[in-house]
Amino acid sequence: MKRDLHQFQGPPQSRLSNHVSSSSSSLPVSKDKMMMVKEEEDGGNMDDELLAVLGYKVRSSEMAEVALKLEQLETMMGNVQEDGLSQFATDTVHYNPSELCTWLDSMLSELNPSSDPILPSPEINNSFLTGASDYDLKVIPGNAIYRRSNQFAIDSSSSSSSNQAVNNQNKRLKSCSSPDSMITTNSTTPQIGTTVTTTATTTTAAAESTRAVILVDSQENGVRLVHALMACAEAIQNNNLTIAEALVKQIGFLAVSQAGAMRKVATYFAEALARRIYRLSPPQNQIDHSISDTLQMHFYETCPYLKFAHFTANQAILEAFEGKKRVHVIDFSMNQGLQWPALMQALAVREGGPPIFRLTGIGPPAADNSDHLHEVGCKLAQFAEAIHVEFEYRGFVANSLADLDASMLELRPSETEAVAVNSVFELHKLLGRPGGIEKVLSVVKQVKPVIFTVVEQESNHNGPVFLDRFTESLHYYSTLFDSLEGAPNSQDKVMSEVYLGKQICNLVACEGPDRVERHETLSQWGNRFGSSGFAPALIGSDTFKLASMLLAHNNGGQGYRVEENNGCLMLGWHTRPLITTSAWKLSAAH
Amino acid sequence: MAGSDEVNLIESKTVVPLNTWVLISNFKLAYNLLRRPDGTFNRHLAEFLDRKVPANANPVDGVFSFDVIIDRQTNLLSRVYRPAYATPPSVIDLQNPVDGEIVPVIVFFHGGSFAHSSANSAIYDTLCRRLVGLCGCVVISVNYRRAPENRYPCAYDDGWAALNWVNSSSWLKSKKDSKVHIFLAGDSSGGNIVHHVAVRAVESGIDVLGNILLNPMFGGTERTESEKRLDGKYFVTVRDRDWYWKAFLPEGEDREHPACSPFGPRSKSLEGLNFPKSLVVVAGLDLIQDWQLKYAEGLKKACQEVKLLYLEQATIGFYLLPNNNHFHNVMDEIAAFVNAECQ
């Protein structure tokens, strides 16, 4: 009987999951058993499985030590006056509660300040590496507009001539950087639909295959619509293009019958499926960057995702820049520079006064030859002047971040200038280009940043199987669109939907290097960063709190939620995290 | 005395496995930081510290889950847990009709003394998954609004809304009679919510087949013997209980309020009502056991069917980890209770 199968599958202990330890925890975990939990680097010291399932990492071997710390903490807390305890809780910054041992240590040392402070890691010895670029296309830097020694306004005497020079350079830029002349080291033939006929669930153990779903629409038509979308994607997966074509037409009708988020999402996915079926080239994503920028601004206005990204990244940067007199931010995601006024403001009013602030903005070339990076720099310079922050700016145009070399960035010795590297929704674009991300990460390492802030979509849209990518992204964007429904109807909102729609189209209709929306999860990025020589720079409860408060203030406490995860912050719609801000530093070995 | 606290700590360590002790002590200390003397709650820190897990439509150990927004006005969300299908489920099949002559549906209310935790808290996500595996049922975990931001009756209203949603979900209907076979279950404050939602159900004609109350949170103004005897000894203090009641009950109310004391002088009698049968689990080292025992007594006196499970050496939270006999005993009892009608 089917029900018996679900109901009882053996004796209680073994039925319950791989995580059950069949004996009490006082016995050491057998070293022969290879568990399927996240491994510690030291294979012999396994985390207690039962606590791991509940979100706490405690090595079995240190359980007694942790218990002792809990007792000590309780005693110390008992000695604090009642008011003092909640004040202490508010004033203390907490990090990474999953690591119970370190959390307890920090609490103990906070309550007992006489203990030794944690010493900073020794200065890393610098030697600037100038590795040769693997790529033929070189980055052509824009004019360095603001000299460090000058005042922070534009040097007006040279502006007209420099503009001319910039225009000439831009012309040259365009011809060099058009896709026709781009030489890639690997060309993959774009595959529209694969012939893989595996079932929907992947069996790779590499990345966790968690499918977080929020059902926001249980209506009959909504279900049929999702059904049709999935069936169409499956038909494409199996190369049944005739069936796929029939389904995509049906989807069009069903979509119209829907209301709200589901209609919009379905429409975008249907269009993308149609493009894939008919092998229509997608809208010129690569070139229309000015349109992308505009759309992103609307997205910025309509919903909190970008604001959260900027805010949380800035907090991490601010913290890393503490005490530094000269700072340099390298922004991989310059766009309209929306992130930087707030950081500059915070630096302006910080204790000890503002540092000298240098900004290097990197972005793709504009379709209309305008040097938009220059314009953005000018605006920021004006702002800097108004708030009395010494400012220097340089814009770099590059088709891909992988075209950058550290030597172009005019780095200064790290003793004199602290560097932060920032990337918001850019890194995933490198994953379609062999060696791309590795190159960029190696450049970041050469830069020797005090902090490397990364914001990415929290979803795996880069799996090898088309149907899986389709399913993941359908749920991801359904949730995202649902969150937008609460916003008042406006031009901003419509444009935000177009912004997201372009991502959907790229993700579903494109393949090979054209498919740039290759989102991956925090655990995937974490693995990549970890094996590239980065360690997490934990984001704490203070940032969490401020981000939550800003959310509540701006969005009236709707369904947005901030979550802490392994020292990173995620912003989600209800229970589904949608974007993650993480911060990284060079690990001790590097 | 200086030594007595030490003795208390050691005592609680002897009755639970070490990792359980670590887990519950950690909660205790963290929670101490969150309650402010003025009755406010450090919600931001609470959410930061709470370990959450996403739903997962991919089955893990035979169970998959997904979240549903039940009411957008109140942001009421519930997490649905289902036994995995024979073939790997496509995501469109999440709300496929339940497959069975009789399929119990447990509406679950997580604990946290009305202030802590959520449906997506790791401890409760894990517990609900275990319930599905053990009972072969569907579990719906309700993410009710919490105190002190949302006092009585918000949690009950949310429970009621969830019950109605479950009752009218066609995909949850058992084949035998085209009705949803509903059980209510909850621990701590969740157990309290079970009682009050059941009362509303009975008064409104919604059939609830059984109530499961794990260490339910009840109280009163009087200081009972167990409260005095066990105060501070096994993770819980009378003082913190008082704080949570003050945070949940309407301003100015005391613990004789019917929400807190369902068989107290201010409560309506259950006599004559077709109240669901109840399984009441009481931990012998829980300081509020006298109130829980009074509750079971009250049901008996009102001629309602009740089975009392008194676990002598169990502390609060024993059901969070499957590393003790109490856990397995109680899970077996719950399975039997829920599947009784299938015999």
Side-chain angles (χ1 to χ4, degrees):
Chain A
M1 289 279 288
K2 220 183 251 183
R3 187 140 164 277
D4 290 340
L5 182 71
H6 298 148
Q7 191 176 3
F8 297 108
Q9 295 180 12
Q13 280 91 337
S14 60
R15 182 194 330 153
L16 281 169
S17 73
N18 335 350
H19 306 296
V20 170
S21 55
S22 52
S23 51
S24 84
S25 60
S26 53
L27 292 175
V29 175
S30 160
K31 283 183 185 165
D32 296 336
K33 264 198 216 168
M34 282 311 292
M35 304 300 172
M36 300 266 278
V37 294
K38 288 184 196 139
E39 313 149 32
E40 296 290 322
E41 273 154 358
D42 174 9
N45 254 331
M46 290 300 174
D47 284 343
D48 179 282
E49 308 144 43
L50 295 185
L51 293 185
V53 172
L54 304 186
Y56 295 102
K57 296 178 211 166
V58 181
R59 293 204 179 94
S60 304
S61 54
E62 61 185 11
M63 191 71 64
E65 187 192 332
V66 167
L68 198 61
K69 290 184 182 172
L70 282 162
E71 286 175 338
Q72 287 173 342
L73 185 57
E74 171 150 21
T75 309
M76 289 174 73
M77 280 168 62
N79 293 335
V80 179
Q81 290 291 358
E82 188 109 328
D83 277 10
L85 206 56
S86 38
Q87 196 56 49
F88 162 76
T90 306
D91 294 343
T92 311
V93 181
H94 303 259
Y95 296 96
N96 204 359
S98 285
E99 291 284 349
L100 204 42
C101 206
T102 44
W103 183 71
L104 289 170
D105 280 340
S106 69
M107 296 284 284
L108 286 168
S109 64
E110 288 280 344
L111 276 172
N112 187 11
S114 58
S115 56
D116 293 335
I118 299 162
L119 297 168
S121 50
E123 269 310 329
I124 300 160
N125 205 346
N126 333 307
S127 50
F128 288 110
L129 305 167
T130 50
S133 171
D134 293 334
Y135 300 93
D136 292 323
L137 184 66
K138 295 256 185 282
V139 170
I140 298 161
N143 274 343
I145 297 172
Y146 307 106
R147 303 222 142 267
R148 190 169 41 134
S149 49
N150 289 358
Q151 70 215 31
F152 36 79
I154 299 174
D155 190 351
S156 54
S157 59
S158 60
S159 59
S160 48
S161 53
S162 67
N163 277 344
Q164 188 62 29
V166 162
N167 284 336
N168 288 338
Q169 275 199 332
N170 280 344
K171 287 206 176 84
R172 205 167 33 130
L173 203 69
K174 188 168 195 241
S175 61
C176 280
S177 60
S178 71
D180 298 330
S181 62
M182 196 158 90
I183 302 157
T184 53
T185 51
N186 239 355
S187 64
T188 39
T189 46
Q191 292 178 23
I192 314 264
T194 64
T195 51
V196 178
T197 50
T198 52
T199 56
T201 50
T202 57
T203 51
T204 50
E208 300 163 358
S209 54
T210 299
R211 192 169 283 175
V213 178
I214 303 181
L215 283 188
V216 297
D217 177 12
S218 306
Q219 292 164 35
E220 191 66 42
N221 275 340
V223 174
R224 272 203 279 160
L225 189 46
V226 174
H227 214 296
L229 282 164
M230 295 293 305
C232 184
E234 191 168 356
I236 291 175
Q237 170 83 31
N238 297 332
N239 232 350
N240 290 329
L241 295 183
T242 327
I243 297 176
E245 192 181 352
L247 284 165
V248 97
K249 286 175 184 161
Q250 195 184 79
I251 289 166
F253 285 118
L254 284 171
V256 169
S257 73
Q258 281 299 107
M262 209 48 222
R263 184 183 80 243
K264 297 168 191 172
V265 168
T267 306
Y268 285 116
F269 273 92
E271 186 199 324
L273 284 168
R275 286 187 177 276
R276 194 176 178 103
I277 293 167
Y278 297 117
R279 303 194 181 210
L280 297 172
S281 58
Q284 300 289 340
N285 288 326
Q286 313 291 88
I287 303 190
D288 289 351
H289 292 295
S290 54
I291 297 177
S292 293
D293 272 4
T294 312
L295 290 177
Q296 193 176 78
M297 286 202 63
H298 289 293
F299 184 67
Y300 180 91
E301 290 300 325
T302 305
C303 49
Y305 300 104
L306 267 179
K307 291 174 200 144
F308 173 86
H310 293 168
F311 177 78
T312 48
N314 283 344
Q315 284 293 115
I317 295 171
L318 202 57
E319 214 174 291
F321 280 171
E322 241 175 90
K324 311 287 184 197
K325 295 280 184 279
R326 283 179 193 287
V327 304
H328 179 197
V329 172
I330 300 173
D331 188 7
F332 285 169
S333 33
M334 193 60 188
N335 294 310
Q336 296 297 315
L338 292 173
Q339 183 170 346
W340 307 117
L343 179 68
M344 289 157 73
Q345 184 87 69
L347 289 170
V349 300
R350 74 171 189 177
E351 226 176 276
I356 298 171
F357 181 71
R358 182 155 81 106
L359 177 63
T360 300
I362 297 160
D368 59 352
N369 273 338
S370 66
D371 192 353
H372 74 286
L373 283 179
H374 174 100
E375 283 162 30
V376 170
C378 289
K379 286 188 198 146
L380 289 173
Q382 281 169 17
F383 181 73
E385 184 179 2
I387 60 171
H388 311 296
V389 174
E390 214 176 306
F391 179 69
E392 188 183 334
Y393 174 80
R394 189 173 184 122
F396 276 92
V397 172
N399 258 320
S400 167
L401 291 173
D403 301 332
L404 277 177
D405 283 323
S407 55
M408 298 159 179
L409 296 170
E410 285 188 13
L411 299 166
R412 290 158 199 167
S414 56
E415 300 89 55
T416 56
E417 189 175 72
V419 186
V421 178
N422 180 77
S423 169
V424 177
F425 300 143
E426 285 297 325
L427 291 186
H428 60 263
K429 297 178 188 169
L430 296 162
L431 298 177
R433 189 175 167 170
I437 186 68
E438 292 81 359
K439 166 84 190 308
V440 172
L441 291 182
S442 101
V443 168
V444 174
K445 272 162 53 185
Q446 288 167 49
V447 163
K448 295 194 185 341
V450 294
I451 195 105
F452 174 30
T453 46
V454 176
V455 184
E456 283 289 326
Q457 291 88 344
E458 185 60 27
S459 195
N460 183 4
H461 299 154
N462 197 27
V465 180
F466 168 72
L467 188 53
D468 290 345
R469 295 200 300 272
F470 185 84
T471 312
E472 287 297 322
S473 56
L474 181 58
H475 285 285
Y476 180 83
Y477 285 99
S478 297
T479 309
L480 199 39
F481 270 76
D482 192 65
S483 75
L484 290 180
E485 282 300 292
N489 286 322
S490 64
Q491 180 70 352
D492 272 339
K493 183 165 151 186
V494 171
M495 290 295 120
S496 303
E497 290 160 0
V498 172
Y499 170 79
L500 295 173
K502 278 157 68 66
Q503 290 177 9
I504 293 169
C505 196
N506 181 273
L507 161 38
V508 170
C510 298
E511 282 302 337
D514 287 339
R515 176 159 62 91
V516 296
E517 298 298 344
R518 294 175 178 258
H519 312 142
E520 290 193 350
T521 62
L522 173 64
S523 71
Q524 290 171 289
W525 285 111
N527 285 338
R528 197 177 274 115
F529 294 148
S531 54
S532 300
F534 294 94
L538 305 177
I539 301 180
S541 55
D542 50 348
T543 304
F544 179 97
K545 176 176 175 178
L546 288 171
S548 304
M549 285 167 70
L550 280 174
L551 262 180
H553 185 258
N554 286 325
N555 298 89
Q558 285 171 26
Y560 294 103
R561 301 277 179 268
V562 183
E563 273 183 37
E564 188 279 343
N565 186 319
N566 278 305
C568 307
L569 293 188
M570 295 180 167
L571 174 61
W573 180 240
H574 294 280
T575 50
R576 167 75 211 251
L578 292 170
I579 68 168
T580 301
T581 301
S582 60
W584 306 86
K585 55 191 179 193
L586 296 171
S587 62
H590 289 76
Chain B
M1 257 183 351
S4 64
D5 280 341
E6 222 181 277
V7 171
N8 288 344
L9 294 172
I10 295 170
E11 227 180 302
S12 61
K13 257 169 146 178
T14 59
V15 295
V16 292
L18 191 58
N19 50 3
T20 303
W21 191 90
V22 163
L23 180 73
I24 302 183
S25 301
N26 178 50
F27 282 134
K28 178 180 80 176
L29 294 184
Y31 291 3
N32 286 348
L33 295 176
L34 302 173
R35 297 186 301 269
R36 297 202 194 96
D38 64 357
T40 59
F41 188 74
N42 193 339
R43 180 61 64 191
H44 293 300
L45 185 56
E47 291 302 298
F48 178 82
L49 294 174
D50 190 27
R51 307 292 79 210
K52 298 195 198 293
V53 297
N56 193 353
N58 291 336
V60 174
D61 297 326
V63 180
F64 71 90
S65 64
F66 58 94
D67 293 335
V68 186
I69 300 176
I70 290 180
D71 184 341
R72 283 183 189 268
Q73 301 282 50
T74 52
N75 276 332
L76 180 61
L77 181 140
S78 289
R79 180 160 290 181
V80 179
Y81 302 84
R82 297 188 66 167
Y85 305 142
T87 51
S90 172
V91 196
I92 49 173
D93 300 323
L94 294 178
Q95 289 184 316
N96 277 359
V98 292
D99 182 22
E101 283 301 302
I102 297 180
V103 180
V105 177
I106 297 181
V107 180
F108 181 79
F109 301 98
H110 66 81
S113 307
F114 293 107
H116 298 278
S117 294
S118 305
N120 60 340
S121 293
I123 46 172
Y124 288 111
D125 184 85
T126 309
L127 177 60
C128 288
R129 285 174 165 276
R130 289 183 178 133
L131 281 173
V132 173
L134 287 155
C135 304
C137 58
V138 175
V139 174
I140 313 247
S141 183
V142 182
N143 200 39
Y144 58 88
R145 281 168 292 168
R146 299 163 302 186
E149 298 94 326
N150 299 290
R151 293 174 177 272
Y152 165 96
C154 293
Y156 301 157
D157 289 344
D158 288 350
W160 176 239
L163 176 63
N164 272 293
W165 180 82
V166 166
N167 193 46
S168 53
S169 292
S170 53
W171 57 282
L172 288 172
K173 292 181 175 162
S174 291
K175 287 201 165 86
K176 175 174 172 183
D177 50 6
S178 286
K179 287 166 81 173
V180 188
H181 287 225
I182 300 174
F183 291 82
L184 301 178
D187 71 308
S188 169
S189 50
N192 177 294
I193 296 172
V194 164
H195 170 84
H196 291 284
V197 171
V199 169
R200 245 200 249 194
V202 168
E203 287 170 350
S204 314
I206 292 189
D207 253 335
V208 172
L209 297 169
N211 291 347
I212 299 160
L213 291 81
L214 286 174
N215 302 4
M217 186 170 159
F218 295 117
T221 17
E222 175 200 344
R223 295 300 189 205
T224 60
E225 185 273 338
S226 66
E227 280 165 308
K228 292 184 227 175
R229 174 169 50 94
L230 295 170
D231 189 5
K233 293 211 162 75
Y234 297 97
F235 312 111
V236 188
T237 64
V238 168
R239 200 156 178 203
D240 71 58
R241 294 298 99 200
D242 287 353
W243 190 98
Y244 290 114
W245 283 119
K246 194 141 183 263
F248 173 69
L249 296 169
E251 309 249 16
E253 282 285 0
D254 67 12
R255 292 186 299 275
E256 294 308 324
H257 190 280
C260 178
S261 182
F263 289 103
R266 289 169 58 183
S267 287
K268 271 189 306 196
S269 167
L270 291 185
E271 249 179 285
L273 288 183
N274 189 13
F275 201 67
K277 62 175 182 175
S278 297
L279 176 64
V280 181
V281 178
V282 179
L285 300 176
D286 187 346
L287 83 173
I288 58 167
Q289 58 188 267
D290 285 350
W291 293 112
Q292 294 159 342
L293 294 169
K294 273 192 183 134
Y295 176 78
E297 267 304 304
L299 285 176
K300 275 202 194 112
K301 281 199 191 123
C303 305
Q304 303 298 348
E305 190 184 334
V306 53
K307 177 168 187 182
L308 173 65
L309 274 182
Y310 185 85
L311 309 167
E312 289 229 8
Q313 286 292 88
T315 64
I316 58 148
F318 72 85
Y319 45 81
L320 295 178
L321 292 178
N323 58 2
N324 59 88
N325 285 329
H326 304 301
F327 174 92
H328 297 297
N329 291 341
V330 168
M331 289 302 145
D332 287 345
E333 291 277 352
I334 291 176
F337 185 78
V338 157
N339 290 318
E341 50 177 355
C342 310
Q343 306 307 334

